[in-house]
Amino acid sequence: MTAVLPAIRDFEAAARARLDPAHYDYFACGAGDEVTVKANEAAFARLALLPRVLRGAGSPRIGVTLLGSRAAMPVLVAPTAFHRLADPEGEKATARAAAAAETVMIVSMAATVAVEDVVAAAPGATLWFQLYVQPDMAFTEAIVRRAEAAGCAALVVTVDSPARGRRDQDVRNGFDDLPEGMRCENLRDDDRGTVRPIVMSPVISWEHVDLLRRMTRLPIVLKGVTHPADARLALDHGVSALYVSNHGGRQLDGVPASVDLLPEIVAAVGGAVPVLMDGGIRRGTDVVKAMALGASAVAVGRPVIWGLAAGGECGVARVLGLLRDEVEHALTLCGLASTHDLEPGLVRRC
Ligand SMILES: Cc1cc2nc3c(=O)[nH]c(=O)nc-3n(C[C@H](O)[C@H](O)[C@H](O)COP(=O)(O)O)c2cc1C
């Protein structure tokens, strides 16, 4: 990767040129007609920024502390599966880049490198662990214990997946499994010596959230909340943070853009816990818009994959660096000293 790639879009083009087409499609595609995939990005384009002037704000501060984890920028690495499809080092490369950027990486339960090996490869990285609750609660507990023992600082429980999303492009490509030699290493079952398939189960309920709260002292982040009523229920069930997400449009097609869902969820939560969001963030200005509408921080999924496929660890570092620079630049142009100064009045719907 020698050419200067000035925008996330360029990383996507570079990734597309390098990846096996079926693997590119797996990362890029969404469910159904991809209405939600497109909406996530289009919604940011419909939000305008109204900068303030002559405020003498100086260089902006963009660091955040979330659930005790410090990040040098308000952009986290969203949990995404199968990083070794993008680069042989897979999640190890992503974690090293996240550590260098001093931000949080949320390691997917569907990672192709075991969480213990990710930790070993990236000393000093701040990792959170993403979990799909498995109907076999003893197995779920074993996974949670591994994440705790590895030093993960929070548990991100994805709740938008009572069934697997139907992604037509994967069906057209016949992509339904990892290639030989790659497995979801966090699903390895020591008792059986095999890797279990991930079960997306429709029986998962609020009871499981209660069980998890009793099971672990890690803060629980609920990922995939889109309905304000669920946001209120989540508070009743004692979660530590909410994470507004439509899974990058890969689960239920037709869900609104994440950034359009944000204001209602933020209002429902009323400041009781942090609210994270992801979906369609491709620019620093998108980060600023989401935070002005009440997000405590955001996360990026595909941009990190594009960096990884384009240039391994260095590519991810450049994607994260680009976003950090763009956030700082956007705040400066908005006349703000800190992300804490962002407020809804800076955003206009157009
Ligand atoms: C290829 C791919 C794999 C994903 N795997 C997971 C996963 O294992 N667990 C999860 O909670 N979300 C997963 N997601 C959803 C992301 O965490 C995130 O919600 C989404 O990518 C955000 O949208 P963006 O790609 O536009 O940034 C995945 C997304 C993609 C694109």
PDB file of all heavy atoms in Angstrom, residues 26-27 78-81 108 110 130 132 158 223 243 245 247-248 250 278-282 299-303, ligand 1:
ATOM      1  N   TYR A  26     -18.938 -10.384   0.936  1.00  0.00           N
ATOM      2  CA  TYR A  26     -19.332 -10.758   2.299  1.00  0.00           C
ATOM      3  C   TYR A  26     -19.191  -9.556   3.242  1.00  0.00           C
ATOM      4  O   TYR A  26     -20.077  -9.276   4.051  1.00  0.00           O
ATOM      5  CB  TYR A  26     -18.496 -11.943   2.821  1.00  0.00           C
ATOM      6  CG  TYR A  26     -18.611 -12.077   4.313  1.00  0.00           C
ATOM      7  CD1 TYR A  26     -19.784 -12.542   4.906  1.00  0.00           C
ATOM      8  CD2 TYR A  26     -17.577 -11.642   5.155  1.00  0.00           C
ATOM      9  CE1 TYR A  26     -19.924 -12.601   6.288  1.00  0.00           C
ATOM     10  CE2 TYR A  26     -17.708 -11.698   6.532  1.00  0.00           C
ATOM     11  CZ  TYR A  26     -18.884 -12.178   7.093  1.00  0.00           C
ATOM     12  OH  TYR A  26     -19.031 -12.209   8.455  1.00  0.00           O
ATOM     13  N   PHE A  27     -18.092  -8.839   3.121  1.00  0.00           N
ATOM     14  CA  PHE A  27     -17.872  -7.690   4.004  1.00  0.00           C
ATOM     15  C   PHE A  27     -18.812  -6.530   3.652  1.00  0.00           C
ATOM     16  O   PHE A  27     -19.318  -5.838   4.529  1.00  0.00           O
ATOM     17  CB  PHE A  27     -16.416  -7.209   3.900  1.00  0.00           C
ATOM     18  CG  PHE A  27     -15.414  -8.154   4.514  1.00  0.00           C
ATOM     19  CD1 PHE A  27     -14.318  -8.606   3.787  1.00  0.00           C
ATOM     20  CD2 PHE A  27     -15.554  -8.587   5.827  1.00  0.00           C
ATOM     21  CE1 PHE A  27     -13.383  -9.467   4.359  1.00  0.00           C
ATOM     22  CE2 PHE A  27     -14.626  -9.458   6.410  1.00  0.00           C
ATOM     23  CZ  PHE A  27     -13.536  -9.890   5.660  1.00  0.00           C
ATOM     24  N   ALA A  78     -15.768  -1.399  15.729  1.00  0.00           N
ATOM     25  CA  ALA A  78     -16.975  -2.225  15.915  1.00  0.00           C
ATOM     26  C   ALA A  78     -16.604  -3.707  15.761  1.00  0.00           C
ATOM     27  O   ALA A  78     -15.638  -4.036  15.064  1.00  0.00           O
ATOM     28  CB  ALA A  78     -18.028  -1.844  14.870  1.00  0.00           C
ATOM     29  N   PRO A  79     -17.380  -4.588  16.400  1.00  0.00           N
ATOM     30  CA  PRO A  79     -17.069  -6.018  16.237  1.00  0.00           C
ATOM     31  C   PRO A  79     -17.448  -6.497  14.839  1.00  0.00           C
ATOM     32  O   PRO A  79     -18.594  -6.326  14.406  1.00  0.00           O
ATOM     33  CB  PRO A  79     -17.956  -6.684  17.297  1.00  0.00           C
ATOM     34  CG  PRO A  79     -19.109  -5.747  17.468  1.00  0.00           C
ATOM     35  CD  PRO A  79     -18.552  -4.363  17.253  1.00  0.00           C
ATOM     36  N   THR A  80     -16.489  -7.046  14.128  1.00  0.00           N
ATOM     37  CA  THR A  80     -16.781  -7.649  12.822  1.00  0.00           C
ATOM     38  C   THR A  80     -16.100  -9.007  12.752  1.00  0.00           C
ATOM     39  O   THR A  80     -15.015  -9.206  13.312  1.00  0.00           O
ATOM     40  CB  THR A  80     -16.313  -6.758  11.651  1.00  0.00           C
ATOM     41  OG1 THR A  80     -14.955  -6.376  11.872  1.00  0.00           O
ATOM     42  CG2 THR A  80     -17.160  -5.502  11.511  1.00  0.00           C
ATOM     43  N   ALA A  81     -16.732  -9.906  12.044  1.00  0.00           N
ATOM     44  CA  ALA A  81     -16.286 -11.302  11.987  1.00  0.00           C
ATOM     45  C   ALA A  81     -15.160 -11.471  10.957  1.00  0.00           C
ATOM     46  O   ALA A  81     -14.937 -10.616  10.108  1.00  0.00           O
ATOM     47  CB  ALA A  81     -17.473 -12.177  11.582  1.00  0.00           C
ATOM     48  N   SER A 108     -14.943  -9.492  17.991  1.00  0.00           N
ATOM     49  CA  SER A 108     -16.139 -10.288  17.695  1.00  0.00           C
ATOM     50  C   SER A 108     -16.008 -11.696  18.255  1.00  0.00           C
ATOM     51  O   SER A 108     -14.932 -12.296  18.222  1.00  0.00           O
ATOM     52  CB  SER A 108     -16.335 -10.369  16.177  1.00  0.00           C
ATOM     53  OG  SER A 108     -17.330 -11.317  15.870  1.00  0.00           O
ATOM     54  N   ALA A 110     -17.126 -13.957  16.665  1.00  0.00           N
ATOM     55  CA  ALA A 110     -16.857 -14.694  15.417  1.00  0.00           C
ATOM     56  C   ALA A 110     -15.475 -14.344  14.852  1.00  0.00           C
ATOM     57  O   ALA A 110     -15.263 -14.393  13.637  1.00  0.00           O
ATOM     58  CB  ALA A 110     -17.942 -14.389  14.392  1.00  0.00           C
ATOM     59  N   GLN A 130     -17.402  -9.006  22.189  1.00  0.00           N
ATOM     60  CA  GLN A 130     -18.796  -9.070  21.703  1.00  0.00           C
ATOM     61  C   GLN A 130     -19.302 -10.500  21.782  1.00  0.00           C
ATOM     62  O   GLN A 130     -18.644 -11.438  21.336  1.00  0.00           O
ATOM     63  CB  GLN A 130     -18.872  -8.555  20.263  1.00  0.00           C
ATOM     64  CG  GLN A 130     -20.255  -8.633  19.647  1.00  0.00           C
ATOM     65  CD  GLN A 130     -20.488  -9.911  18.869  1.00  0.00           C
ATOM     66  OE1 GLN A 130     -19.561 -10.412  18.221  1.00  0.00           O
ATOM     67  NE2 GLN A 130     -21.694 -10.467  18.928  1.00  0.00           N
ATOM     68  N   TYR A 132     -22.666 -13.213  21.212  1.00  0.00           N
ATOM     69  CA  TYR A 132     -24.025 -13.639  20.858  1.00  0.00           C
ATOM     70  C   TYR A 132     -24.376 -14.693  21.903  1.00  0.00           C
ATOM     71  O   TYR A 132     -23.715 -15.744  21.958  1.00  0.00           O
ATOM     72  CB  TYR A 132     -24.066 -14.295  19.475  1.00  0.00           C
ATOM     73  CG  TYR A 132     -23.804 -13.383  18.302  1.00  0.00           C
ATOM     74  CD1 TYR A 132     -22.631 -13.515  17.543  1.00  0.00           C
ATOM     75  CD2 TYR A 132     -24.722 -12.429  17.896  1.00  0.00           C
ATOM     76  CE1 TYR A 132     -22.388 -12.706  16.439  1.00  0.00           C
ATOM     77  CE2 TYR A 132     -24.490 -11.614  16.791  1.00  0.00           C
ATOM     78  CZ  TYR A 132     -23.326 -11.761  16.069  1.00  0.00           C
ATOM     79  OH  TYR A 132     -23.084 -10.951  14.973  1.00  0.00           O
ATOM     80  N   THR A 158     -24.746  -8.606  21.613  1.00  0.00           N
ATOM     81  CA  THR A 158     -25.485  -8.252  20.397  1.00  0.00           C
ATOM     82  C   THR A 158     -26.861  -8.904  20.438  1.00  0.00           C
ATOM     83  O   THR A 158     -26.979 -10.125  20.542  1.00  0.00           O
ATOM     84  CB  THR A 158     -24.694  -8.688  19.146  1.00  0.00           C
ATOM     85  OG1 THR A 158     -23.431  -8.024  19.182  1.00  0.00           O
ATOM     86  CG2 THR A 158     -25.422  -8.333  17.863  1.00  0.00           C
ATOM     87  N   LYS A 223     -25.943  -4.181  22.330  1.00  0.00           N
ATOM     88  CA  LYS A 223     -25.738  -3.716  20.947  1.00  0.00           C
ATOM     89  C   LYS A 223     -26.886  -4.173  20.050  1.00  0.00           C
ATOM     90  O   LYS A 223     -27.235  -5.359  20.039  1.00  0.00           O
ATOM     91  CB  LYS A 223     -24.418  -4.291  20.397  1.00  0.00           C
ATOM     92  CG  LYS A 223     -24.161  -3.975  18.925  1.00  0.00           C
ATOM     93  CD  LYS A 223     -22.796  -4.449  18.480  1.00  0.00           C
ATOM     94  CE  LYS A 223     -22.446  -3.991  17.077  1.00  0.00           C
ATOM     95  NZ  LYS A 223     -22.989  -4.829  16.017  1.00  0.00           N
ATOM     96  N   TYR A 243     -26.062   0.574  22.709  1.00  0.00           N
ATOM     97  CA  TYR A 243     -25.300   0.701  21.473  1.00  0.00           C
ATOM     98  C   TYR A 243     -26.334   0.620  20.348  1.00  0.00           C
ATOM     99  O   TYR A 243     -26.859  -0.446  20.047  1.00  0.00           O
ATOM    100  CB  TYR A 243     -24.299  -0.451  21.440  1.00  0.00           C
ATOM    101  CG  TYR A 243     -23.276  -0.538  20.344  1.00  0.00           C
ATOM    102  CD1 TYR A 243     -22.083  -1.202  20.587  1.00  0.00           C
ATOM    103  CD2 TYR A 243     -23.467  -0.025  19.067  1.00  0.00           C
ATOM    104  CE1 TYR A 243     -21.106  -1.347  19.611  1.00  0.00           C
ATOM    105  CE2 TYR A 243     -22.503  -0.165  18.080  1.00  0.00           C
ATOM    106  CZ  TYR A 243     -21.324  -0.829  18.359  1.00  0.00           C
ATOM    107  OH  TYR A 243     -20.384  -0.979  17.377  1.00  0.00           O
ATOM    108  N   SER A 245     -27.609   0.347  16.843  1.00  0.00           N
ATOM    109  CA  SER A 245     -27.006  -0.265  15.650  1.00  0.00           C
ATOM    110  C   SER A 245     -28.061  -1.087  14.930  1.00  0.00           C
ATOM    111  O   SER A 245     -28.904  -1.719  15.564  1.00  0.00           O
ATOM    112  CB  SER A 245     -25.861  -1.189  16.088  1.00  0.00           C
ATOM    113  OG  SER A 245     -25.358  -1.922  14.991  1.00  0.00           O
ATOM    114  N   HIS A 247     -26.743  -3.231  12.781  1.00  0.00           N
ATOM    115  CA  HIS A 247     -25.808  -4.273  12.341  1.00  0.00           C
ATOM    116  C   HIS A 247     -25.262  -3.950  10.938  1.00  0.00           C
ATOM    117  O   HIS A 247     -25.030  -4.846  10.132  1.00  0.00           O
ATOM    118  CB  HIS A 247     -26.504  -5.636  12.342  1.00  0.00           C
ATOM    119  CG  HIS A 247     -25.625  -6.791  12.730  1.00  0.00           C
ATOM    120  ND1 HIS A 247     -25.774  -7.493  13.897  1.00  0.00           N
ATOM    121  CD2 HIS A 247     -24.585  -7.380  12.091  1.00  0.00           C
ATOM    122  CE1 HIS A 247     -24.878  -8.470  13.954  1.00  0.00           C
ATOM    123  NE2 HIS A 247     -24.138  -8.426  12.861  1.00  0.00           N
ATOM    124  N   GLY A 248     -25.137  -2.661  10.671  1.00  0.00           N
ATOM    125  CA  GLY A 248     -24.649  -2.277   9.339  1.00  0.00           C
ATOM    126  C   GLY A 248     -25.568  -2.762   8.229  1.00  0.00           C
ATOM    127  O   GLY A 248     -25.125  -3.017   7.106  1.00  0.00           O
ATOM    128  N   ARG A 250     -27.184  -5.555   8.039  1.00  0.00           N
ATOM    129  CA  ARG A 250     -26.969  -6.971   7.692  1.00  0.00           C
ATOM    130  C   ARG A 250     -27.995  -7.897   8.327  1.00  0.00           C
ATOM    131  O   ARG A 250     -27.987  -9.094   8.077  1.00  0.00           O
ATOM    132  CB  ARG A 250     -25.561  -7.391   8.118  1.00  0.00           C
ATOM    133  CG  ARG A 250     -24.496  -6.695   7.313  1.00  0.00           C
ATOM    134  CD  ARG A 250     -23.134  -6.832   7.934  1.00  0.00           C
ATOM    135  NE  ARG A 250     -22.545  -8.153   7.814  1.00  0.00           N
ATOM    136  CZ  ARG A 250     -21.857  -8.581   6.762  1.00  0.00           C
ATOM    137  NH1 ARG A 250     -21.713  -7.793   5.724  1.00  0.00           N
ATOM    138  NH2 ARG A 250     -21.318  -9.780   6.751  1.00  0.00           N
ATOM    139  N   ASP A 278     -23.305   2.885  15.736  1.00  0.00           N
ATOM    140  CA  ASP A 278     -22.535   2.625  14.518  1.00  0.00           C
ATOM    141  C   ASP A 278     -23.474   2.510  13.342  1.00  0.00           C
ATOM    142  O   ASP A 278     -24.699   2.466  13.484  1.00  0.00           O
ATOM    143  CB  ASP A 278     -21.631   1.381  14.659  1.00  0.00           C
ATOM    144  CG  ASP A 278     -22.382   0.054  14.674  1.00  0.00           C
ATOM    145  OD1 ASP A 278     -23.551  -0.024  14.218  1.00  0.00           O
ATOM    146  OD2 ASP A 278     -21.797  -0.941  15.126  1.00  0.00           O
ATOM    147  N   GLY A 279     -22.876   2.513  12.136  1.00  0.00           N
ATOM    148  CA  GLY A 279     -23.645   2.373  10.898  1.00  0.00           C
ATOM    149  C   GLY A 279     -23.433   3.567   9.995  1.00  0.00           C
ATOM    150  O   GLY A 279     -23.948   4.655  10.264  1.00  0.00           O
ATOM    151  N   GLY A 280     -22.634   3.372   8.944  1.00  0.00           N
ATOM    152  CA  GLY A 280     -22.506   4.395   7.908  1.00  0.00           C
ATOM    153  C   GLY A 280     -21.501   5.493   8.179  1.00  0.00           C
ATOM    154  O   GLY A 280     -21.402   6.435   7.392  1.00  0.00           O
ATOM    155  N   ILE A 281     -20.744   5.381   9.267  1.00  0.00           N
ATOM    156  CA  ILE A 281     -19.741   6.426   9.563  1.00  0.00           C
ATOM    157  C   ILE A 281     -18.574   6.265   8.590  1.00  0.00           C
ATOM    158  O   ILE A 281     -17.898   5.236   8.589  1.00  0.00           O
ATOM    159  CB  ILE A 281     -19.226   6.284  11.009  1.00  0.00           C
ATOM    160  CG1 ILE A 281     -20.382   6.410  11.992  1.00  0.00           C
ATOM    161  CG2 ILE A 281     -18.052   7.250  11.265  1.00  0.00           C
ATOM    162  CD1 ILE A 281     -20.457   7.608  12.814  1.00  0.00           C
ATOM    163  N   ARG A 282     -18.352   7.266   7.763  1.00  0.00           N
ATOM    164  CA  ARG A 282     -17.264   7.211   6.773  1.00  0.00           C
ATOM    165  C   ARG A 282     -16.383   8.450   6.813  1.00  0.00           C
ATOM    166  O   ARG A 282     -15.389   8.511   6.095  1.00  0.00           O
ATOM    167  CB  ARG A 282     -17.844   7.063   5.349  1.00  0.00           C
ATOM    168  CG  ARG A 282     -18.724   5.830   5.154  1.00  0.00           C
ATOM    169  CD  ARG A 282     -17.927   4.525   5.254  1.00  0.00           C
ATOM    170  NE  ARG A 282     -18.773   3.353   5.078  1.00  0.00           N
ATOM    171  CZ  ARG A 282     -19.319   2.658   6.081  1.00  0.00           C
ATOM    172  NH1 ARG A 282     -19.091   3.011   7.365  1.00  0.00           N
ATOM    173  NH2 ARG A 282     -20.078   1.609   5.852  1.00  0.00           N
ATOM    174  N   ALA A 299     -18.744   3.816  16.495  1.00  0.00           N
ATOM    175  CA  ALA A 299     -17.856   2.719  16.099  1.00  0.00           C
ATOM    176  C   ALA A 299     -17.927   2.547  14.587  1.00  0.00           C
ATOM    177  O   ALA A 299     -18.904   2.951  13.951  1.00  0.00           O
ATOM    178  CB  ALA A 299     -18.251   1.428  16.812  1.00  0.00           C
ATOM    179  N   VAL A 300     -16.858   1.989  14.036  1.00  0.00           N
ATOM    180  CA  VAL A 300     -16.823   1.742  12.588  1.00  0.00           C
ATOM    181  C   VAL A 300     -16.557   0.262  12.325  1.00  0.00           C
ATOM    182  O   VAL A 300     -15.669  -0.338  12.922  1.00  0.00           O
ATOM    183  CB  VAL A 300     -15.757   2.606  11.877  1.00  0.00           C
ATOM    184  CG1 VAL A 300     -16.234   4.044  11.748  1.00  0.00           C
ATOM    185  CG2 VAL A 300     -14.406   2.572  12.570  1.00  0.00           C
ATOM    186  N   GLY A 301     -17.338  -0.292  11.411  1.00  0.00           N
ATOM    187  CA  GLY A 301     -17.189  -1.702  11.030  1.00  0.00           C
ATOM    188  C   GLY A 301     -16.426  -1.840   9.729  1.00  0.00           C
ATOM    189  O   GLY A 301     -15.220  -2.115   9.712  1.00  0.00           O
ATOM    190  N   ARG A 302     -17.101  -1.598   8.604  1.00  0.00           N
ATOM    191  CA  ARG A 302     -16.463  -1.817   7.298  1.00  0.00           C
ATOM    192  C   ARG A 302     -15.203  -0.991   7.085  1.00  0.00           C
ATOM    193  O   ARG A 302     -14.237  -1.513   6.510  1.00  0.00           O
ATOM    194  CB  ARG A 302     -17.488  -1.588   6.188  1.00  0.00           C
ATOM    195  CG  ARG A 302     -18.612  -2.646   6.188  1.00  0.00           C
ATOM    196  CD  ARG A 302     -19.597  -2.390   5.060  1.00  0.00           C
ATOM    197  NE  ARG A 302     -20.732  -3.295   5.074  1.00  0.00           N
ATOM    198  CZ  ARG A 302     -21.852  -3.102   5.785  1.00  0.00           C
ATOM    199  NH1 ARG A 302     -21.982  -2.040   6.579  1.00  0.00           N
ATOM    200  NH2 ARG A 302     -22.854  -3.975   5.708  1.00  0.00           N
ATOM    201  N   PRO A 303     -15.155   0.289   7.499  1.00  0.00           N
ATOM    202  CA  PRO A 303     -13.913   1.036   7.256  1.00  0.00           C
ATOM    203  C   PRO A 303     -12.666   0.322   7.780  1.00  0.00           C
ATOM    204  O   PRO A 303     -11.610   0.350   7.143  1.00  0.00           O
ATOM    205  CB  PRO A 303     -14.156   2.365   7.985  1.00  0.00           C
ATOM    206  CG  PRO A 303     -15.644   2.551   7.885  1.00  0.00           C
ATOM    207  CD  PRO A 303     -16.205   1.155   8.069  1.00  0.00           C
TER     208      PRO A 303
HETATM  209  C1  LIG B   1     -18.454  -8.145   7.692  1.00  0.00           C
HETATM  210  C2  LIG B   1     -19.179  -7.773   8.932  1.00  0.00           C
HETATM  211  C3  LIG B   1     -19.195  -8.657   9.999  1.00  0.00           C
HETATM  212  C4  LIG B   1     -19.857  -8.310  11.178  1.00  0.00           C
HETATM  213  N1  LIG B   1     -19.785  -9.149  12.249  1.00  0.00           N
HETATM  214  C5  LIG B   1     -20.379  -8.794  13.411  1.00  0.00           C
HETATM  215  C6  LIG B   1     -20.245  -9.615  14.547  1.00  0.00           C
HETATM  216  O1  LIG B   1     -19.597 -10.649  14.527  1.00  0.00           O
HETATM  217  N2  LIG B   1     -20.871  -9.210  15.679  1.00  0.00           N
HETATM  218  C7  LIG B   1     -21.599  -8.042  15.751  1.00  0.00           C
HETATM  219  O2  LIG B   1     -22.149  -7.722  16.799  1.00  0.00           O
HETATM  220  N3  LIG B   1     -21.718  -7.234  14.667  1.00  0.00           N
HETATM  221  C8  LIG B   1     -21.110  -7.575  13.525  1.00  0.00           C
HETATM  222  N4  LIG B   1     -21.197  -6.740  12.445  1.00  0.00           N
HETATM  223  C9  LIG B   1     -21.870  -5.432  12.585  1.00  0.00           C
HETATM  224  C10 LIG B   1     -20.877  -4.353  13.041  1.00  0.00           C
HETATM  225  O3  LIG B   1     -20.529  -4.523  14.387  1.00  0.00           O
HETATM  226  C11 LIG B   1     -21.444  -2.949  12.911  1.00  0.00           C
HETATM  227  O4  LIG B   1     -22.688  -2.895  13.556  1.00  0.00           O
HETATM  228  C12 LIG B   1     -21.608  -2.462  11.467  1.00  0.00           C
HETATM  229  O5  LIG B   1     -20.560  -2.942  10.660  1.00  0.00           O
HETATM  230  C13 LIG B   1     -21.617  -0.933  11.450  1.00  0.00           C
HETATM  231  O6  LIG B   1     -21.815  -0.451  10.173  1.00  0.00           O
HETATM  232  P1  LIG B   1     -20.623   0.057   9.218  1.00  0.00           P
HETATM  233  O7  LIG B   1     -20.023  -1.176   8.631  1.00  0.00           O
HETATM  234  O8  LIG B   1     -21.348   0.891   8.231  1.00  0.00           O
HETATM  235  O9  LIG B   1     -19.634   0.835  10.071  1.00  0.00           O
HETATM  236  C14 LIG B   1     -20.537  -7.070  11.264  1.00  0.00           C
HETATM  237  C15 LIG B   1     -20.516  -6.194  10.176  1.00  0.00           C
HETATM  238  C16 LIG B   1     -19.843  -6.518   9.032  1.00  0.00           C
HETATM  239  C17 LIG B   1     -19.794  -5.535   7.899  1.00  0.00           C
END
